[in-house]
Amino acid sequence: MPPTSIQRLCFCIFFMVLLSPLAQSQAHQLSWPVDGGLLGTGALTYGLSIPLQKKMPGMSLDDLDLLDPLRINRLDRIATLQASEKARLASDITLRTALILPLGLLAESNSRDNFGVVSVMWLETMLLTNGITRLVKIGARRSRPYTYNPLTGEELKIDPEARLSFFSGHASNTAAMSFFTAQTLVQNRPDMQNKGLVWATAATLPALTALWRVKAGKHFPSDVIVGYGIGALIGILVPNLHR
């Protein structure tokens, strides 16, 4: 996700927190050690990533000449020939859907009554996911699949954005928000009858996003697999730390 989009979303969440009663419920509670650590880590990692990414140079034409798809493992090599614009647009839609998915918790009474606490957990999940994702991308500097594609223009290939392939931010954000929503909902409604459907939805949305990012030529399969795993882990971990 672009920094400006993340900042706007985090500001909206923070504003909702200010307007929401921070009531403690049986399912989730706030605590200084947990929330101070999560918010501090999330804000630090995300904050560090902004200037570091701005300083990251793009590839030179000589660097592009050294790219050889045959040096990529067979699993990832398939992404170098993908360039679907429809898949890219579809992945953007599923990402945006996942980002607002936690608002669906307002339909559940326990989550709605305790939405201040839920909002804090939501903010922590957003900051941690994007902070970790962006720092790893900057450190790895892996070239995106489209840089290996002869049909891609040089202007796109030499842009610094072309070096942010590992791991997928679309996959990590979609997984984090989907699994966060599912975990929070299930913990607030332990007597729920359709838990299987909730978890199936949470697993499917980031899986589709991951598939479309590969078909768009934006990420290798390994990028989206790792992004999915990291996002799901954060999405499940944050609510559990507030039990």
Side-chain angles (χ1 to χ4, degrees), residues 59 63-64 67 72 80 137 140-148 157 160-166 217-220 223:
M59 287 189 292
D63 293 331
L64 294 178
L67 296 179
I72 303 173
T80 61
K137 281 175 173 285
R141 297 191 180 188
R142 187 182 194 185
S143 300
R144 292 185 185 272
Y146 64 72
T147 60
Y148 293 84
K157 293 182 179 182
E161 174 68 22
R163 306 185 74 182
L164 299 175
S165 189
F166 184 83
K218 296 291 187 178
H219 287 288
F220 296 101
D223 297 335

Side-chain angles (χ1 to χ4, degrees), residues 62-234:
D62 290 336
D63 293 331
L64 294 178
D65 290 337
L66 296 175
L67 296 179
D68 183 1
L70 295 179
R71 295 180 180 177
I72 303 173
N73 66 77
R74 291 185 179 180
L75 173 65
D76 285 338
R77 198 180 303 164
I78 60 174
T80 61
L81 298 178
Q82 306 296 323
S84 172
E85 181 64 14
K86 290 183 179 180
R88 185 192 67 79
L89 292 173
S91 70
D92 287 343
I93 291 172
T94 51
L95 170 63
R96 292 186 175 94
T97 300
L99 291 177
I100 64 172
L101 195 60
L103 291 176
L105 294 169
L106 288 171
E108 194 276 316
S109 59
N110 290 334
S111 301
R112 183 171 61 251
D113 293 341
N114 202 34
F115 200 67
V117 176
V118 174
S119 298
V120 172
M121 297 192 300
W122 185 7
L123 179 60
E124 292 166 348
T125 304
M126 279 292 300
L127 287 173
L128 281 171
T129 302
N130 285 283
I132 294 171
T133 300
R134 287 166 58 82
L135 281 183
V136 173
K137 281 175 173 285
I138 294 165
R141 297 191 180 188
R142 187 182 194 185
S143 300
R144 292 185 185 272
Y146 64 72
T147 60
Y148 293 84
N149 193 325
L151 299 180
T152 303
E154 282 186 355
E155 186 175 346
L156 283 177
K157 293 182 179 182
I158 62 175
D159 190 287
E161 174 68 22
R163 306 185 74 182
L164 299 175
S165 189
F166 184 83
F167 50 86
S168 170
H170 273 65
S172 64
N173 274 282
T174 307
M177 289 295 101
S178 297
F179 281 91
F180 167 82
T181 304
Q183 185 73 9
T184 303
L185 180 60
V186 168
Q187 288 177 342
N188 277 328
R189 289 288 302 276
D191 58 341
M192 181 184 295
Q193 300 296 317
N194 298 318
K195 291 181 181 179
L197 179 61
V198 170
W199 285 113
T201 302
T204 300
L205 194 61
L208 288 173
T209 305
L211 174 64
W212 285 326
R213 294 305 281 175
V214 174
K215 290 185 68 66
K218 296 291 187 178
H219 287 288
F220 296 101
S222 58
D223 297 335
V224 296
I225 291 171
V226 174
Y228 188 116
I230 296 295
L233 178 63
I234 294 173

